[in-house]
Amino acid sequence: MSEENKQKSSIWGGRFRTGPSDLMQEINASISFDKNLYSEDIEGSKAHALMLEKQQIISPEDLKAIQNGLDQIYTEISNNTFSFKIELEDIHMNIETRLAELIGEPAKRLHTARSRNDQVATDIRLWLRNRIDELDAELQRLQEILLHKAEKNIHTLMPGYTHLQTAQPISFGFHLAAYIEMMGRDRQRLQDCRKRLNESPLGAAALAGTSFPIDRHMTAKTLGFDRPMANALDAVSSRDFALEFTSAAAICAMHLSRLAEEIVIWSTDRFNFIRLSDEFTTGSSIMPQKKNPDAAELIRAKPGRIIGHFVSLATILKGLPLAYGKDMQEDKEPLFDTQKTLSISIAAMSGMIADMSVNQAAMRDALQKGHPTATDLADFLVRELNKAFRDAHHISGSLVALADDKGCPLEDLSLEDMQKIEPLLDESVFAVLKIEDACNARSSFGGTAPDELKKRLEDAASRFNLNQEMK
Ligand code: ARG
């Protein structure tokens, strides 16, 4: 046997005469991506060693050596001086082998009453818990940016759309505030996932528990888990927490993509409602006039990736018999990329919103062209002239057609012209045709009226724990 092959086979010990083929090694190794878990792997090992010592399974001297060795490995990996070896398969074996190089004998005792199956399940849960906490802070920051922009634009009027056709006048702040709510639910979904994932698989060992007198409650507590998982087989076999995370992430990415699409639309030269900063746009290599909203377009596209990861994970897990199968190693790349993709989408969205400028005049212009007070006119006919709503709707529609024929907004029609369609109309009609009044009138709870919006923004700040001062 070649020296190299001896080293390969030595990882699993005795029963192998030769190491794996290069191809086997290539398909089997996960170190290229699971090195991401190094910090959590070390944290888990330290908690395990501490417990082994307390239960008198290893000696205090072993514990000290293991702790020091793991600290050194942590430093090496953080400083990029650690040399990862593909023949050692994964992060767990890379760290354990290095530990043996550093401290000798005690390193070999660390894996007592533990398997890579409970080890990796613990690592991923710790990793994801940390990432969820970061994502929560990132989303909270985005909500604060939206809140700040919304507060500045309480009185900025724009057309509200249905079918992307002008519907009714709304405040731009009101539109942005809708996303504060969506992001709030996204945060809650992530928190909910965090709650369920926060149980410790450590000590489940390979699948059935262990005959050593371990204390799973102690390791769970040391690692900040709420409790040890109740069934060892479930602990090593389950990745539903990863599915839950990718599904919550997919929903959040979907919300971001809707806002991204609105940004793309608003920044076209036809709409011209907003202007993105140079920092979040790109030029064209051939058309000098271009300012492309690439960041928004990419955020619009990212759910494709994240939803793909969800489908990929669900497909890996479906039909998989208990307990561990190497299939489960395929959980990591979708999970890692989901977190990375969502995080950069949130960051880019935050940057775009913080920097964008708002073109009130263009919004006003679009409002005037879209006859957004036609509903208010119909309501007026019901209220003041006692028309049935369907008839009022018809009369208001005819007045819109007349304004279109004349190429003017509704409020610029003369009373004489209006009376040709509805003779009972008088001067008082003009009061409801004003865009501001139409917006102010929608003061029902959660409506767009500025006074109501102010109250709802205050309320959102307290419900989502948002700082109203921009940092
Ligand atoms: N690298 C493996 C994974 O990510 C670790 C667990 C290996 N377990 C085993 N029984 N081979 O899933």
Side-chain angles (χ1 to χ4, degrees), residues 30 34 90 92 116-117 120 324 326 328-329 331-332:
S30 53
D34 68 11
D90 56 25
H92 324 294
R116 273 189 293 165
N117 298 348
V120 72
Y324 180 85
K326 199 62 176 243
M328 292 170 78
Q329 179 164 285
D331 61 358
K332 287 172 204 60

Side-chain angles (χ1 to χ4, degrees), residues 418-462:
M418 290 198 204
Q419 283 170 338
K420 282 183 200 139
I421 290 172
E422 177 45 63
L424 294 176
L425 280 172
D426 63 24
E427 286 290 339
S428 65
V429 68
F430 289 105
V432 297
L433 297 180
K434 285 255 266 323
I435 288 164
E436 270 76 12
D437 295 341
C439 185
N440 293 341
R442 293 195 166 78
S443 57
S444 52
F445 185 94
T448 186
D451 288 343
E452 171 59 18
L453 176 58
K454 261 182 227 159
K455 286 186 225 153
R456 298 285 72 80
L457 290 178
E458 286 293 330
D459 170 55
S462 91

Side-chain angles (χ1 to χ4, degrees), residues 26 30 56 81-82 163 198 228 236 276 280 306 388 396 426 430-431:
E26 193 181 332
S30 53
Q56 299 179 352
T81 57
F82 190 95
H163 312 268
N198 202 31
V236 292
L276 294 171
F280 288 96
I306 297 183
S396 177
D426 63 24
F430 289 105

